[in-house]
Amino acid sequence: MDDVKESATFPCPKADDSGEGLKRRQILQGARNVFLAHGFDGASMGEIARAAGVSKGTLYVYFDSKEKLFEALTLEQKGVLAEVLFKLNPDNPDVRSVLVELGRTFLKFMCEPAHVSSVRMVMGAAEKVPAVGQAFYEGGPSKGIARLSAYLSQQAQAGRLTIDDPETAAEHFLALCQSETMKRLLFAVGAPPDEAQIDIKVQKAVRVFLAAYGPAA
């Protein structure tokens, strides 16, 4: 899970060894640190320039606004989190075990303090700059739903599940795993669940999901 924690809020900037690429990566890393420390509203282009070790003039050459910079950061290495969290083997006939493992990994990640903070920050920014919220959603949740949907569709074709709408089924499963946990954490109510609590929540989610989408009798 170390890789997941590192990218919990934003993916690390994509490697690019060209001069322009290195400078852009330097700026994105500085912005990443500032946004994590101060949130979207509290971050300024001046502070980002200082954190990145560049002049404001150089910063504006690459990004003409804080909104554009934040959006670029959320889109960097688009889908990396989905690839880390949603590693699903379509040939594994034990659908229950696959879903349990995914559910544990997913819920553990969702409960990471850095991720909870990032969701709060993006939600606050999205009201003023909807493109930021859309970029964040498309760069993470949407990709995860798509990957899980593809897996569920394959299992339905193999007769292991009964699903007419894989995308909706994927959304249902992830919602079951989060249940009230994420909502509670977003409002800073209580502590994140421990490993045992996560396992209980996921086992219940899988049981309900299979009751609705299990193979036809």
Side-chain angles (χ1 to χ4, degrees):
M1 289 293 293
D2 289 344
D3 291 340
V4 175
K5 288 181 180 179
E6 172 62 23
S7 56
T9 307
F10 298 109
C12 294
K14 184 187 297 184
D16 182 344
D17 292 334
S18 68
E20 292 292 309
L22 288 172
K23 183 63 69 176
R24 186 176 189 274
R25 188 168 59 195
Q26 180 181 337
I27 291 171
L28 287 174
Q29 185 59 55
R32 181 176 186 266
N33 294 336
V34 173
F35 283 129
L36 283 173
H38 303 292
F40 178 80
D41 286 335
S44 70
M45 292 293 271
E47 183 64 28
I48 290 170
R50 286 190 291 273
V54 301
S55 68
K56 285 185 70 173
T58 298
L59 177 59
Y60 278 104
V61 167
Y62 286 84
F63 301 99
D64 61 12
S65 69
K66 181 173 69 171
E67 290 77 12
K68 291 293 186 182
L69 178 51
F70 190 88
E71 184 176 351
L73 195 56
T74 61
L75 287 172
E76 192 69 21
Q77 289 189 332
K78 190 174 182 179
V80 166
L81 294 182
E83 292 172 9
V84 171
L85 296 174
F86 292 80
K87 292 181 177 178
L88 305 170
N89 179 7
D91 297 323
N92 188 338
D94 191 347
V95 177
R96 178 183 290 274
S97 68
V98 171
L99 292 178
V100 167
E101 181 59 28
L102 169 63
R104 287 170 178 158
T105 304
F106 173 74
L107 185 54
K108 185 174 182 180
F109 165 75
M110 294 297 289
C111 295
E112 288 289 344
H115 178 70
V116 175
S117 295
S118 74
V119 173
R120 291 194 192 110
M121 182 171 61
V122 172
M123 289 174 66
E127 184 175 358
K128 299 176 182 176
V129 191
V132 167
Q134 183 175 349
F136 185 85
Y137 181 81
E138 291 180 351
S142 181
K143 288 291 182 182
I145 290 170
R147 290 173 72 92
L148 178 55
S149 175
Y151 170 79
L152 295 177
S153 178
Q154 290 170 313
Q155 302 315 305
Q157 291 172 14
R160 298 171 188 145
L161 294 172
T162 304
I163 295 176
D164 294 325
D165 184 348
E167 183 174 342
T168 297
E171 293 172 347
H172 284 170
F173 178 71
L174 297 179
L176 285 168
C177 288
Q178 295 181 74
S179 61
E180 290 296 304
T181 304
M182 189 62 180
K183 183 185 297 183
R184 188 168 48 78
L185 293 177
L186 285 172
F187 287 101
V189 178
D194 59 26
E195 295 278 357
Q197 291 170 324
I198 286 175
D199 185 63
I200 291 172
K201 291 176 182 294
V202 170
Q203 293 287 354
K204 289 180 178 179
V206 172
R207 185 164 61 248
V208 172
F209 182 83
L210 291 179
Y213 294 108

